[in-house]
């Protein structure tokens, strides 16, 4: 069953409130077995992402923040977006790359959940949750 999502429901700014993959990473046995210096670096990049990630959807343009892990800096991005069924497609102008996300809006339409769709078509198990800013 394909859900149809009204694109106008996404208009506005959405701030990250929970990133399941990041949570799972820092609570994993592999992370705990990693040397302290490496853990600190991972936590620094993780914190940068969690504190800065957002999407701002305008008519046909989307703005968002990502993190360059190597440089440990926030990168501001811009692209075109569209919804096809229950899939959000973001065309990154800088990378000439398309990101695909399975999306779900809660009933009040103030919470957005995204799950990355990988190039091979697999859907990520972990989701990110965003809250709409007023």
């Amino acid at each position: 069953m394909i859900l149809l999502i009204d694109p106008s429901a996404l208009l506005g700014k959405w701030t990250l409130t929970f990133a399941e993959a990041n949570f799972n990473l820092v609570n994993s046995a592999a992370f705990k077995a990693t040397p302290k210096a490496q853990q600190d670096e991972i936590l620094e990049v993780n914190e940068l992402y969690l504190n800065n990630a957002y999407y701002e959807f305008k008519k046909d343009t989307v703005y968002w923040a990502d993190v360059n892990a190597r440089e440990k800096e926030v990168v501001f991005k811009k692209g075109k977006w569209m919804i096809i069924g229950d899939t959000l497609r973001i065309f990154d102008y800088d990378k000439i790359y398309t990101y695909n996300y399975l999306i779900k809006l809660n009933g009040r339409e103030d919470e957005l959940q995204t799950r990355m769709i990988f190039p091979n078509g697999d859907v990520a198990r972990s989701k990110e949750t965003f809250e709409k800013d007023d």
Side-chain angles (χ1 to χ4, degrees):
M1 175 172 102
I2 292 182
L3 301 172
L4 297 179
I5 296 173
D6 178 2
S8 68
L10 256 62
L11 294 175
K13 187 170 183 181
W14 298 82
T15 303
L16 182 71
T17 57
F18 183 69
E20 190 175 7
N22 299 52
F23 177 82
N24 292 342
L25 170 71
V26 298
N27 289 297
S28 70
F31 178 79
K32 290 178 170 85
T34 302
K36 173 94 171 84
Q38 222 176 328
Q39 282 184 5
D40 290 344
E41 282 203 22
I42 292 167
L43 288 173
E44 183 180 351
V45 170
N46 194 33
E47 199 68 23
L48 260 179
Y49 182 73
L50 295 174
N51 290 334
N52 293 285
Y54 73 89
Y55 287 105
E56 186 169 3
F57 296 96
K58 302 221 172 170
K59 185 178 174 188
D60 63 354
T61 304
V62 60
Y63 302 87
W64 73 97
D66 201 356
V67 171
N68 177 331
R70 211 169 287 146
E71 303 293 326
K72 294 187 187 94
E73 65 184 16
V74 177
V75 180
F76 296 97
K77 313 277 280 172
K78 178 181 176 182
K80 182 177 171 50
W81 69 281
M82 66 185 340
I83 293 178
I84 301 170
D86 58 359
T87 301
L88 168 64
R89 300 189 92 183
I90 295 178
F91 305 92
D92 185 333
Y93 289 156
D94 294 331
K95 288 187 176 180
I96 309 178
Y97 186 82
T98 303
Y99 300 96
N100 292 293
Y101 299 93
L102 185 64
I103 61 171
K104 179 179 164 189
L105 284 169
N106 72 3
R108 298 181 317 274
E109 295 189 346
D110 60 357
E111 184 181 275
L112 170 69
Q113 291 181 345
T114 64
R115 290 174 38 198
M116 167 99 38
I117 301 172
F118 298 106
N120 68 359
D122 289 348
V123 178
R125 287 186 306 234
S126 301
K127 63 183 171 259
E128 291 189 324
T129 303
F130 295 82
E131 195 172 275
K132 192 160 196 177
D133 292 356
D134 291 327

